[in-house]
Amino acid sequence: MLFLFLLSSFVFKGNADTIGLNVSAGPKQNYTFPKDFLFGVSTAALQIEGAWDADGKGESIWDHLVHVQNPKFAKDGSTPDVAADSYHNYKRDAEMVHELGVNIYRFSISWPRIMPKGLKNDINQKGLEYYRNLLMELEKYNVTAMVVMYHWDLPQALQEMGGWTNENIVDYFADYAKVLYDNYADKVKYWVTFNEPMQVCLEGYGNTYRAPKLNQTGFADYLCTHNLLKAHAKAYHIYNTTYRPTYGGQVAISLDSNWAEPKTESASDREAAERYLQFHLGWYTHPIYSAEGNYPAEMIRIIDEKSRQQNFSQSRLPKFTPEEIEYIKGTGDFFGLNHYTTYYLTMADKQVGAVPSHANDCGIVRFQNPKWPSKSSSNWLRVVPVGFRRLLKWVSNEYNNVSILVTENGFADFSGVHDAERVSYYGHYLNALLHSMYEDKTNVKGYCAWSLMDNWEWDDGLTSRFGLFLVDFKSPNKTRTPKDSAKMYAKVIKSRSLPDNFDPTDFSAFSSSNVLLPSVLTVVTLLSLT
Ligand SMILES: *[C@@H]1O[C@H](CO)[C@@H](O)[C@H](O)[C@H]1NC(C)=O
Ligand SMILES: *[C@@H]1O[C@H](CO)[C@@H](O)[C@H](O)[C@H]1NC(C)=O
Ligand SMILES: *[C@@H]1O[C@H](CO)[C@@H](O)[C@H](O)[C@H]1NC(C)=O
Ligand SMILES: *[C@@H]1O[C@H](CO)[C@@H](O)[C@H](O)[C@H]1NC(C)=O
Ligand SMILES: *[C@@H]1O[C@H](CO)[C@@H](O)[C@H](O)[C@H]1NC(C)=O
Ligand SMILES: *[C@@H]1O[C@H](CO)[C@@H](O)[C@H](O)[C@H]1NC(C)=O
Ligand SMILES: *[C@@H]1O[C@H](CO)[C@@H](O)[C@H](O)[C@H]1NC(C)=O
């Protein structure tokens, strides 16, 4: 998960009162989680497994990034070479999942651990064995597996053939999906083709925040998304046609989205917020979940028009054929949503981003109110539970009350087992979820916390901790210890309700946040991400 940004401070001239959003999602109620509501917990292969070259595993684009491209990529200089060593500790991981009492463990499979060069002719039996062992361990505890096929770790050999910009990857990914179905369909109820494809394409191909750091925004990000959506649809259809009749599982995709709150009630600010959602979330979800399919109409119109003005011979946003639109439409059995925080949106009053770029195509500016509760190791992670509620409602309205599984949500700190901020964050965001279900009548079926344990958090290395279990990265066994939040989450699951002492007006856990000059809103903006 997660987003990186440039920290650019400038004076925001608006009146803070006009953007004084009440961050609480709603008053205390006695709402309870339905009996069939699914609770889960999520991880990702690269962030926890380690064993980066063990037993025949191939190099991934992240291994390549930290070993070859830029060994200083992570701010603490760490690599995911060992991480939480889940390759050797999977039995303890399954035990932790069991201790939480969750129904679902969402983990990802490393493509290069299964197919070292990404292709079907070379399959690594040791890799297959590792995930089968993990699945058997989960089965022992009656935990349902949700498997993510792609959480960003492409085999480097495929990157060298163009990665997601090479159209052949649609077939390579389909081959990989078939290997997974053939080996694990008997043990996996939920399949997620891609986790946060926007991080893959916008940040990895359009920018430099994720591997492979191509930095070709306005082109490679659109091309990457185009092929990725086709690969998703192909993997979906293969399951639907060949495996579903026997195994009856579900296939979907997990999308990351911030909530976009209009800076004011003006038509222009509301349009900016809507454009943000369509150019980020809708880019991926409109083709799959809307009734008409294809990219959002406004996105097509704007990029086609800009491309014309920029004298390109064709739009920088590739076109789907009518057959492809039909092929992609409807290929999600549920809507996987990852959510962490909220931004304000307004229209840019001057050119934003390089020309051309995704940011320039959007033409909007996003920022956060520094008065919003924070105190996170991730300074973009401000606590705005009402934004979660509004995002769930937006998704429901936009996609005909689609059934939603929240596949990631959580809070990062600098470490420690007494994690009052994370406990408070989960209370507030689960309160938002309950209000969403009971008052906004959204169709939310489940919730997976991010993350089961502390991990290698991409560019933040080992410094930013999202875990319910603390990992002692210095210990030889990467000892795991439950944090207060793990105990709190286990109690919520058991009681099907928020803790008795939860107070939706209490944000004091975040009170000593990195407060900025009171009259100057220091705007955290990721120009390339707006
Ligand atoms: C919740 O509270 C309302 C009114 O405060 C009450 O009518 C309802 O029965 C309560 N529900 C439960 C499950 O306790
Ligand atoms: C798993 O489910 C089976 C059948 O319902 C039950 O007998 C067993 O005790 C359960 N095991 C655990 C660890 O919960
Ligand atoms: C990425 O490309 C932009 C131009 O679009 C350039 O200004 C920037 O320096 C590049 N970043 C890196 C890290 O190469
Ligand atoms: C596109 O071409 C036209 C005609 O040659 C020229 O006037 C215009 O400045 C060009 N636009 C850009 C963005 O280069
Ligand atoms: C999945 O398969 C069923 C049964 O063949 C079919 O009715 C349905 O249209 C398929 N779904 C998609 C999205 O193609
Ligand atoms: C959405 O679906 C759920 C579950 O079927 C239902 O309870 C709810 O009323 C629906 N919401 C709307 C707005 O139709
Ligand atoms: C690490 O794990 C091994 C194997 O489970 C065990 O024998 C050893 O005692 C553990 N070491 C520590 C320091 O916990």
Side-chain angles (χ1 to χ4, degrees):
M1 38 126 327
L2 302 199
F3 331 101
L4 268 198
F5 40 71
L6 299 168
L7 240 182
S8 69
S9 297
F10 61 92
V11 178
F12 176 71
K13 296 193 198 69
N15 175 351
D17 293 336
T18 65
I19 56 170
L21 182 71
N22 179 358
V23 297
S24 177
K28 184 149 189 174
Q29 297 289 0
N30 58 2
Y31 301 139
T32 55
F33 293 97
K35 246 183 119 164
D36 59 355
F37 188 85
L38 298 166
F39 281 103
V41 70
S42 296
T43 60
L46 184 98
Q47 294 180 277
I48 61 166
E49 282 178 8
W52 81 274
D53 64 348
D55 293 343
K57 177 180 167 292
E59 186 189 28
S60 78
I61 54 174
W62 282 89
D63 300 323
H64 189 77
L65 170 55
V66 301
H67 295 154
V68 181
Q69 273 179 292
N70 181 9
K72 294 204 178 99
F73 178 79
K75 63 165 74 139
D76 58 357
S78 65
T79 69
D81 291 3
V82 181
D85 200 18
S86 285
Y87 190 68
H88 298 106
N89 291 314
Y90 69 92
K91 289 193 176 170
R92 171 69 180 130
D93 293 352
E95 183 182 74
M96 283 146 55
V97 169
H98 174 64
E99 282 169 20
L100 290 172
V102 294
N103 313 95
I104 291 179
Y105 181 39
R106 192 191 80 139
F107 64 94
S108 82
I109 290 184
S110 161
W111 188 347
R113 196 179 292 290
I114 303 278
M115 297 153 94
K117 299 230 181 294
L119 299 177
K120 200 176 167 235
N121 64 317
D122 180 12
I123 293 176
N124 179 25
Q125 292 304 323
K126 285 278 195 186
L128 285 176
E129 205 175 289
Y130 168 67
Y131 296 108
R132 179 150 284 271
N133 288 341
L134 172 59
L135 287 165
M136 279 173 1
E137 203 64 19
L138 294 172
E139 201 168 64
K140 194 171 101 187
Y141 294 120
N142 292 336
V143 170
T144 302
M146 181 185 283
V147 168
V148 177
M149 301 178 188
Y150 189 83
H151 198 130
W152 313 356
D153 43 358
L154 188 72
Q156 174 63 18
L158 292 185
Q159 190 60 51
E160 285 162 17
M161 297 195 284
W164 292 103
T165 62
N166 176 350
E167 205 176 345
N168 289 314
I169 201 157
V170 177
D171 293 332
Y172 303 150
F173 185 76
D175 284 343
Y176 167 53
K178 267 185 264 181
V179 169
L180 298 188
Y181 298 148
D182 281 338
N183 281 279
Y184 307 130
D186 60 329
K187 300 214 178 304
V188 177
K189 175 119 189 269
Y190 299 98
W191 295 94
V192 172
T193 54
F194 293 91
N195 181 69
E196 300 191 353
M198 188 171 71
Q199 297 299 311
V200 176
C201 297
L202 188 60
E203 304 312 340
Y205 284 70
N207 286 306
T208 56
Y209 308 118
R210 304 281 180 237
K213 300 200 315 126
L214 282 194
N215 202 24
Q216 301 201 6
T217 182
F219 297 94
D221 36 15
Y222 295 135
L223 206 51
C224 166
T225 297
H226 206 66
N227 292 324
L228 186 150
L229 284 168
K230 289 195 230 177
H232 157 80
K234 187 156 186 176
Y236 179 95
H237 286 295
I238 291 169
Y239 189 86
N240 196 41
T241 308
T242 310
Y243 299 85
R244 200 201 301 274
T246 309
Y247 301 107
Q250 298 190 22
V251 185
I253 182 168
S254 286
L255 298 312
D256 53 314
S257 188
N258 301 310
W259 170 241
E261 181 72 19
K263 188 184 100 181
T264 69
E265 278 307 302
S266 74
S268 163
D269 287 347
R270 275 183 286 141
E271 189 189 337
E274 179 68 15
R275 190 181 296 178
Y276 177 90
L277 291 168
Q278 295 295 358
F279 266 74
H280 292 83
L281 182 57
W283 183 12
Y284 298 92
T285 52
H286 201 274
I288 299 173
Y289 296 99
S290 72
E292 61 271 31
N294 205 355
Y295 296 120
E298 182 73 351
M299 184 172 187
I300 297 173
R301 188 189 66 74
I302 290 173
I303 301 171
D304 286 2
E305 175 61 24
K306 287 217 179 198
S307 302
R308 242 190 318 274
Q309 285 167 7
Q310 291 157 356
N311 293 331
F312 289 102
S313 57
Q314 56 186 357
S315 179
R316 288 178 285 101
L317 185 70
K319 300 278 183 248
F320 290 121
T321 64
E323 294 72 33
E324 287 169 342
I325 289 171
E326 284 307 309
Y327 187 71
I328 296 168
K329 206 169 77 181
T331 57
D333 298 325
F334 59 88
F335 191 109
L337 180 67
N338 295 0
H339 173 77
Y340 292 86
T341 196
T342 287
Y343 285 82
Y344 277 120
L345 268 297
T346 190
M347 284 293 177
D349 55 10
K350 55 181 177 352
Q351 181 194 301
V352 278
V355 180
S357 65
H358 178 269
N360 183 263
D361 290 338
C362 295
I364 52 184
V365 173
R366 71 172 203 181
F367 61 96
Q368 292 179 308
N369 184 339
K371 289 180 181 165
W372 286 343
S374 176
K375 208 181 169 188
S376 172
S377 52
S378 295
N379 55 359
W380 51 266
L381 212 172
R382 294 196 174 265
V383 185
V384 189
V386 71
F388 185 28
R389 182 172 169 186
R390 290 181 184 175
L391 177 64
L392 288 166
K393 192 170 178 189
W394 187 90
V395 169
S396 296
N397 288 344
E398 191 76 6
Y399 304 118
N400 191 29
N401 199 19
V402 63
S403 75
I404 300 171
L405 253 164
V406 177
T407 40
E408 284 187 19
N409 176 242
F411 185 83
D413 63 18
F414 291 102
S415 191
V417 290
H418 298 302
D419 53 344
E421 299 86 357
R422 184 172 293 101
V423 167
S424 181
Y425 182 95
Y426 279 126
H428 282 292
Y429 276 71
L430 288 168
N431 182 49
L433 190 88
L434 286 167
H435 276 81
S436 176
M437 293 167 68
Y438 284 91
E439 290 176 29
D440 305 336
K441 311 281 181 222
T442 58
N443 194 1
V444 185
K445 300 280 196 218
Y447 174 92
C448 295
W450 181 274
S451 178
L452 174 61
M453 72 191 102
D454 294 337
N455 61 37
W456 188 76
E457 181 54 32
W458 316 106
D459 49 294
D460 278 339
L462 302 173
T463 63
S464 195
R465 311 285 193 114
F466 274 93
L468 292 165
F469 283 75
L470 184 130
V471 174
D472 180 358
F473 290 108
K474 294 204 181 83
S475 71
N477 285 7
K478 311 296 171 195
T479 310
R480 286 105 154 105
T481 312
K483 301 182 188 178
D484 291 348
S485 56
K487 294 168 192 162
M488 176 261 188
Y489 192 45
K491 225 183 234 171
V492 166
I493 295 167
K494 199 157 191 205
S495 67
R496 317 304 286 179
S497 59
L498 297 178
D500 291 338
N501 65 356
F502 171 71
D503 175 357
T505 64
D506 182 3
F507 288 85
S508 60
F510 311 100
S511 60
S512 61
S513 70
N514 38 335
V515 177
L516 304 164
L517 295 174
S519 60
V520 177
L521 297 188
T522 298
V523 177
V524 176
T525 180
L526 175 40
L527 289 177
S528 49
L529 262 188
T530 48

